[in-house]
Amino acid sequence: VVLVSEMADLMEAPRGGFTFDLCKRNAWLEAANGSGDSKTKFKKTGTTIAGIVFKDGIVLGADTRATEGPIVADKNCEKIHYLAPNIFCCGAGTSADCENVTEMMSSNLTLHRLNTGRECRVNTAVTMLAQYLFRYQGHISAALVVGGVDCTGPSLFTVYPHGSVDQLPYVTMGSGSLAAMAMYEAGYQDNMEKGAAVNLVRAAIQSGIDNDLGSGSNVDITVITMGAVERHRNLDKAQPKYKSKNPLSYAAGTTRFWNEAITKHQILITEGDTMDE
């Protein structure tokens, strides 16, 4: 049985203005946390990814270091993902989010190609990615550099976790993006040849590797042109660890010490149930 007053409350139109329904929840979180800071913080990640438009297509580049906080979890992971035969993207952020978003989008673009009977446009992939990421308001940590060649020519986009999109002739993302952008600003030219564009992207990624602790290891490059894709895995490899040709050896007694005491201890080993007593 529903009382008349309760029914009136249920049918009452929503009121405008601010709502403070979550204030009690936030106060409880602060008390439970003990530090007084209940704000949800995004996990800091590290990557250097970049792309550039040259005369005949697109060059994408990425480093290969995957981190887990201060730990290098994978020295040779792959950050350049397949979306369509003519579209690839680099991913920065949470590796699980990047993997799942790109795999899902690759499946959707395959269905789109089969349904239309035509090659997917880069703008179509970017629109689908932006709409999907915007729906989650940045909680899917996938920052993407999307590049490809279609009937309109080469196109290069950045898609941010919140769903915003940029289209530029050269782009960088990730924690090493500032170092990579410095190389771009110094060396970019319009209508670059393929070799010059590849070398510039390699230099940009290497700059991120050298100047950012979250980026490291090797350099991967993907070149996309009309009807062809070249994938270069570990085009530039990390500097190997230094090993001396003449390792140091120290003779006994090199290090002085004040005294020395050698003692003997008798160890009694007991087997069976008596160990629990």
Side-chain angles (χ1 to χ4, degrees), residues 208-228:
I209 289 173
D210 294 340
N211 295 281
D212 173 46
L213 292 177
S215 308
S217 297
N218 312 317
V219 178
D220 289 348
I221 295 292
T222 296
V223 182
I224 310 168
T225 54
M226 182 62 74

Side-chain angles (χ1 to χ4, degrees), residues 10-29:
L10 292 174
M11 299 184 64
E12 184 181 357
R15 291 171 293 180
F18 293 103
T19 176
F20 300 95
D21 296 337
L22 299 179
C23 289
K24 291 183 178 180
R25 186 209 65 169
N26 294 341
W28 180 84
L29 287 174

Side-chain angles (χ1 to χ4, degrees), residues 45-273:
T45 58
T47 285
T48 301
I49 55 176
I52 194 171
V53 180
F54 70 98
K55 185 172 65 174
D56 299 320
I58 299 290
V59 180
L60 300 176
D63 71 305
T64 63
R65 172 178 289 181
T67 57
E68 187 177 349
I71 301 169
V72 177
D74 189 352
K75 296 181 181 179
N76 197 26
C77 71
E78 193 167 1
K79 300 182 183 180
I80 303 180
H81 307 279
Y82 168 90
L83 293 182
N86 61 316
I87 306 171
F88 285 78
C89 79
C90 307
T94 304
S95 58
D97 289 344
C98 292
E99 289 283 346
N100 282 275
V101 167
T102 53
E103 287 180 7
M104 179 200 68
M105 200 53 55
S106 176
S107 299
N108 291 343
L109 292 174
T110 300
L111 294 174
H112 187 276
R113 281 199 311 279
L114 295 173
N115 189 35
T116 60
R118 298 178 180 178
E119 184 182 68
C120 295
R121 293 191 181 189
V122 183
N123 195 36
T124 302
V126 170
T127 301
M128 294 168 67
L129 283 167
Q131 290 177 348
Y132 179 78
L133 293 174
F134 176 76
R135 196 183 312 159
Y136 292 90
Q137 293 293 296
H139 291 285
I140 294 180
S141 179
L144 307 172
V145 172
V146 183
V149 180
D150 54 26
C151 59
T152 63
S155 301
L156 184 64
F157 296 86
T158 56
V159 183
Y160 291 86
H162 289 81
S164 60
V165 175
D166 289 332
Q167 183 177 13
L168 297 165
Y170 54 93
V171 297
T172 64
M173 297 188 84
S175 56
S177 60
L178 292 179
M181 183 57 74
M183 302 302 296
Y184 273 164
E185 295 284 0
Y188 176 79
Q189 296 177 352
D190 293 332
N191 297 320
M192 296 180 70
E193 296 293 334
K194 173 184 169 183
V198 169
N199 289 334
L200 182 56
V201 174
R202 290 170 65 181
I205 300 299
Q206 191 62 51
S207 178
I209 289 173
D210 294 340
N211 295 281
D212 173 46
L213 292 177
S215 308
S217 297
N218 312 317
V219 178
D220 289 348
I221 295 292
T222 296
V223 182
I224 310 168
T225 54
M226 182 62 74
V229 175
E230 300 176 19
R231 305 201 70 180
H232 302 279
R233 183 82 167 121
N234 298 342
L235 186 60
D236 294 328
K237 292 190 175 182
Q239 192 74 15
K241 290 185 178 179
Y242 173 77
K243 292 184 179 180
S244 176
K245 296 180 180 179
N246 301 312
L248 297 176
S249 60
Y250 298 96
T254 301
T255 304
R256 293 194 307 168
F257 56 92
W258 296 109
N259 52 44
E260 177 181 3
I262 300 175
T263 59
K264 295 183 179 181
H265 297 276
Q266 184 178 4
I267 300 174
L268 180 63
I269 300 176
T270 305
E271 298 181 358
D273 298 335

